[in-house]
Amino acid sequence: MLKARYRSLTYRIDHSDATFSFMQSRAGVSGGDNLADYQGVSSFTLGDSSIKGTYSLDVTVPGQEVTAVTNDQMTDSAKVCALAAQKLAGARITLTATNAAGDEQTLRFELNPVEDFAQRYTKIEQQQQADSGEHGESLFTMKLID
């Protein structure tokens, strides 16, 4: 879909309390003369598909939902991230691209955590601490819908 040149891209999250955050590339990311700033929003449009950066989904896990905290930082981190992953379950992400002629193309994806999320997360954390260079397995599935 994104091999052609598009004049705008719109991202939207449905069926979830998740929000987007935008992390700028090291080279700096600009939309015209202004730095792009998308944090805590569920929808945004980029005016030029050449804008580079990384988008993440964020959710909040209230403290009262975190139980059985241990003294093992890795175990606690995996538990909190697994709770966050469950809050992302079923989130739908819609991407609409508009080309120079004004034609739109829309894709919808459903995001779900893998069943063994906590185990995979712990493995990834261990690999990062060991600086093994391995990236681990995916933590989520992303299914094209509609």
Side-chain angles (χ1 to χ4, degrees), residues 15-100:
H15 310 295
S16 178
D17 292 332
T19 58
F20 286 111
S21 286
F22 176 70
M23 294 177 283
Q24 297 173 347
S25 69
R26 290 182 183 174
V29 177
S30 64
D33 295 327
N34 301 314
L35 288 177
D37 183 16
Y38 302 102
Q39 300 225 352
V41 296
S42 60
S43 181
F44 63 90
T45 299
L46 296 177
D48 183 335
S49 63
S50 67
I51 294 177
K52 295 180 181 176
T54 301
Y55 296 87
S56 65
L57 292 177
D58 298 323
V59 292
T60 300
V61 178
Q64 64 268 23
E65 292 183 23
V66 181
T67 58
V69 174
T70 69
N71 288 327
D72 180 358
Q73 184 176 0
M74 186 154 328
T75 300
D76 292 344
S77 178
K79 285 182 182 179
V80 172
C81 288
L83 286 171
Q86 287 306 313
K87 289 183 174 292
L88 288 174
R92 293 189 176 186
I93 301 169
T94 301
L95 171 63
T96 302
T98 306
N99 67 17

